[in-house]
Each structure stands twice: as structure tokens, then as C-alpha cells.
Amino acid sequence: MAFANANDLHSYMVGTRFQFTYYFRSRRFVGLLIFSVFITALILFLDLHYNYSFYKSENSAAFLDAYFSSDITAYFAILAAFFGGDMVSMDLGTNTAYYTLVQPIRRSILYIGRYTAAFLSTAVLVLIIYLGGVAGSLYLYGDVTDLIVPSFGFALLYMLALISFATLFSAIFKTPSIGLVVSILFLILVYPAVQGIVSALAGINPWMFVTYAGEMIYLVFEKSYVVHSVNHTHFGTIYTFNPTGNEAIFIMLGYIIVFSLISILVFTRKEIKG
């Protein structure tokens, strides 16, 4: 959404700075920062302690492929839910609306500013995870594969898509905690479970799930991988789908655009009705 005038741009900058400062000083951010450092250190310890010989015989790309596994992408979803799950409902479900919604700033600009602040906050935490992977690669091999750059790019785009999706629940539910919990449940339990059923058993390409696109974060480290395969077993037919780079980008961009627009419309409409 374009800025209509210089005042909108100024409001956006002020709103983003205020919201980012709010996040940065919050217990939520500090807690997630500590946990991000802890989980990074734990993964590195487990990998280097129990799989040192295996990884030492591999290369940087193979190590980072395993490092950025489905567990890490699941953690990225939790980060997005914590910052996007109550981004809108912090006004609609609390008394802060009496202050924020009477300010001379368009609700769409307010949303974009908060969206940017939420992304910057999660980007800091994601960067910690990546720095851990870089440290592990340097320790094992003395270098880091260039593929770390596109992987980080996919991770940032993934965070934007996840935050957009989480803000939908924030706009629907007035209670901040409900939006946050529902976001986590969908991204951690519902989406992965349904995606597995739709792809593995039904044989349908799960392009409609953003968690499917997020797999590119670690698939990018593989020189070649199977995009679609069919395996016949005694128990039935198992289908396997993996996204291509372009497919993942289109899915994430779709989530960013569609769910952000829906959230802005809901946010604006509720303000008018209020």
C-alpha cells in the first residue's frame, strides 16, 4: 500500500520506531532472545558432540542442511506467532484503543508500521539462529557455503509470510492471547498435519500451505532433490512433494499480500464500527 503523502511516511516511520522500541524492551522479546541463544547453543552442542565424526566428513552445505531442519522452521513459526498473533488485537482487545485509534494516523499506516516492527524483531532472532549455523560451519570446515545467503533470504521472506498469516487471527479475535495461541496451533500443529495428509496420502501438491514453502530454507543447501515422487509400499502409495525456489517465493508473496490486505480491511472496519 503506497503512502499518500509525506505525513503518511512520517507517521509510518514514527509508528515503526515506537513499536520496535516497545517490542525490544518487552519481556517477550528478551525471553525469546534468551531462548533463541539457548536453542542455538543446544543444537550446536548436540550436533558437534554426537555427530562430529559424521559432519566432519561432510561439507558446509550438508551441515547447514541438517542444521536448518524442520525443527528450526517450526521455531520460526513460533516467533512469527508471538509478534503477529496480537499485533492488531492489542488495540481491539485492550484499552489502548482509546489512545491509538484517536490519533491522526490512518489505520492502514498504523498496521504497516507495526508489521515492519514485528518483522524487524523476528529478523533479529532469526539472525541469531543463522549466526549459530555460521559458527558451526566455520568450526567444522573453516568456511561457509555461499548458499547461506539465499537461505537467509528465504527465511526473511518466510517470516514476512508467517507474520501476515498470524495477523489474520489477531484481527479476528479481540483477545490478544487467543490470537497468539491460535496462530501457534495453526502453524505448528494444524498446517503441518493437514499438509502431510494432503501431500503424502492424497497426492496433492500442498502449495496452499506456507509451511510447505518454508522448506526451501534448508532445501536450498541441497544440490539436487526430488520435487515430486511416488512410492508404492505394502501399506499404500506414498507421495512426496518438495517446493522449487520460484514456487516457494510465489507462495510466500501470496500469503504476504492476501493476509495483510485482509487484516488491514478487518482492522479498518472494526475501527469504523467501534
Side-chain angles (χ1 to χ4, degrees):
M1 181 174 295
F3 300 112
N5 49 53
N7 184 58
D8 281 346
L9 180 59
H10 174 72
S11 299
Y12 163 75
M13 297 299 294
V14 172
T16 300
R17 184 171 64 252
F18 175 82
Q19 190 68 19
F20 181 73
T21 302
Y22 166 77
Y23 282 141
F24 192 75
R25 295 177 178 176
S26 67
R27 294 180 180 178
R28 176 190 316 184
F29 183 85
V30 174
L32 289 172
L33 179 65
I34 295 174
F35 189 72
S36 295
V37 173
F38 170 76
I39 195 173
T40 300
L42 179 62
I43 293 175
L44 286 176
F45 170 78
L46 294 176
D47 284 344
L48 298 179
H49 182 73
Y50 293 102
N51 300 307
Y52 177 81
S53 298
F54 171 77
Y55 285 125
K56 193 64 177 177
S57 63
E58 294 292 332
N59 54 51
S60 177
F63 167 74
L64 292 173
D65 184 13
Y67 178 81
F68 292 105
S69 62
S70 56
D71 293 333
I72 290 295
T73 54
Y75 180 61
F76 288 170
I78 293 176
L79 294 178
F82 265 98
F83 288 98
D86 65 349
M87 198 175 78
V88 174
S89 56
M90 67 170 57
D91 280 330
L92 301 178
T94 65
N95 292 331
T96 59
Y98 292 105
Y99 172 75
T100 57
L101 297 187
V102 297
Q103 298 300 310
I105 176 176
R106 290 194 293 156
R107 299 287 76 78
S108 57
I109 302 300
L110 179 62
Y111 173 90
I112 297 173
R114 288 181 175 176
Y115 182 86
T116 304
F119 168 69
L120 293 176
S121 300
T122 56
V124 171
L125 302 175
V126 169
L127 179 61
I128 291 175
I129 304 294
Y130 270 81
L131 290 177
V134 169
S137 179
L138 289 174
Y139 175 78
L140 287 169
Y141 316 108
D143 67 348
V144 182
T145 174
D146 294 338
L147 295 174
I148 191 75
V149 176
S151 175
F152 187 60
F154 277 115
L156 294 181
L157 191 61
Y158 188 50
M159 297 311 298
L160 287 171
L162 291 175
I163 293 172
S164 297
F165 182 69
T167 57
L168 174 66
F169 300 105
S170 179
I172 293 175
F173 299 105
K174 287 188 175 182
T175 305
S177 58
I178 294 180
L180 193 153
V181 171
V182 173
S183 299
I184 293 177
L185 289 177
F186 260 85
L187 293 172
I188 300 300
L189 297 177
V190 177
Y191 257 33
V194 177
Q195 176 188 326
I197 295 174
V198 169
S199 60
L201 301 181
I204 300 174
N205 187 327
W207 59 265
M208 65 290 297
F209 298 98
V210 68
T211 47
Y212 170 68
E215 295 173 6
M216 275 306 303
I217 292 174
Y218 54 87
L219 286 176
V220 72
F221 293 107
E222 300 182 17
K223 291 182 178 180
S224 61
Y225 59 88
V226 177
V227 175
H228 176 216
S229 66
V230 180
N231 297 314
H232 300 283
T233 68
H234 294 291
F235 304 99
T237 302
I238 303 297
Y239 303 88
T240 300
F241 292 91
N242 289 307
T244 64
N246 289 336
E247 183 182 19
I249 292 174
F250 285 128
I251 293 172
M252 294 182 201
L253 289 177
Y255 265 74
I256 293 171
I257 296 171
V258 172
F259 287 103
S260 290
L261 288 177
I262 293 175
S263 298
I264 290 175
L265 290 175
V266 173
F267 188 25
T268 304
R269 185 179 180 186
K270 285 191 175 183
E271 177 224 356
I272 294 174
K273 284 186 173 182

